[in-house]
Amino acid sequence: MKTKLSILLVLCLLNLSVFAQQKTKKELKAEKELQRQKEIEALIDSKDFVFEAQKVTPQGGRFIILDYNTYFLKFNTEKTTCDLPFFGRGFNVPYGGGDGGIKFEGTPENIRVEKKKNSYIFRATVKGKNDVYDLLFSIFNNKTASLSINSNNRASISYDGLITAPKKTDK
């Protein structure tokens, strides 16, 4: 009888230790999530970040997965640089002047940030050499983002990807 009672007591103690470990795992997950949220908030407050496109969805089309991490939009209040692929309809593109993508450099204007419960809405307008681009970012706390670009000369297009801090050499 005593051995059964002692075995039961040992099992209860082991069960409590497993429960305590699960609680710490939840706490660690919450701490990581809070850390990511602070990193995203700092990037948005600084208005200095890099969007790396992983997937593109043209207007009226199916999404296309981008194989290489070479497509980006570097946002900065002084100079925004974009090199993203474009699939869709062009309205006013010069003959032989279409390079097949959305490529521009310019100073962003009308920057607006709206905080939602688990995300941010970030808007800006950039005047490129031949076009004006309206940028709409939906940035989430897990560092994922979607970007919609509207321009005067092309159909609207959306991209999904990641938001990161700029590398020191990017500045």
Side-chain angles (χ1 to χ4, degrees):
M1 180 79 174
K2 286 184 179 183
T3 58
K4 288 182 182 178
L5 186 61
S6 60
I7 291 173
L8 185 63
L9 184 61
V10 168
L11 287 176
C12 287
L13 289 174
L14 287 174
N15 216 7
L16 284 175
S17 67
V18 168
F19 179 73
Q21 286 177 351
Q22 288 176 346
K23 189 174 181 182
T24 58
K25 286 180 184 178
K26 287 180 184 177
E27 289 172 355
L28 289 173
K29 184 177 178 183
E31 286 177 14
K32 278 185 176 181
E33 192 172 312
L34 184 63
Q35 179 67 25
R36 276 188 280 176
Q37 186 176 357
K38 286 181 180 180
E39 288 174 12
I40 288 295
E41 189 173 339
L43 288 175
I44 291 172
D45 288 342
S46 70
K47 296 176 180 68
D48 187 15
F49 55 84
V50 177
F51 172 78
E52 295 177 3
Q54 296 176 331
K55 183 172 67 170
V56 59
T57 308
Q59 187 179 36
R62 294 184 177 181
F63 72 87
I64 300 166
I65 295 174
L66 303 173
D67 292 336
Y68 306 104
N69 291 336
T70 59
Y71 302 111
F72 64 89
L73 187 143
K74 294 177 185 174
F75 191 90
N76 191 311
T77 55
E78 296 171 11
K79 181 174 110 177
T80 296
T81 307
C82 179
D83 184 4
L84 293 169
F86 180 78
F87 306 95
R89 186 172 176 194
F91 303 117
N92 187 14
V93 180
Y95 182 74
D99 56 8
I102 297 178
K103 297 178 183 181
F104 63 85
E105 276 188 15
T107 304
E109 302 170 351
N110 303 326
I111 300 171
R112 298 179 307 273
V113 179
E114 182 182 339
K115 184 170 175 34
K116 299 282 187 177
K117 185 177 179 181
N118 292 323
S119 64
Y120 294 88
I121 304 297
F122 190 96
R123 300 173 193 263
T125 302
V126 180
K127 291 180 183 175
K129 185 178 177 183
N130 299 318
D131 206 347
V132 177
Y133 302 93
D134 290 322
L135 310 176
L136 171 64
F137 289 94
S138 296
I139 303 172
F140 301 97
N141 290 335
N142 62 355
K143 296 186 178 182
T144 61
S146 63
L147 166 63
S148 295
I149 299 179
N150 292 319
S151 71
N152 294 333
N153 297 331
R154 298 176 188 221
S156 63
I157 191 164
S158 299
Y159 302 90
D160 293 320
L162 299 173
I163 293 287
T164 59
K167 296 175 183 153
K168 300 296 180 190
T169 58
D170 288 347
K171 291 183 180 182

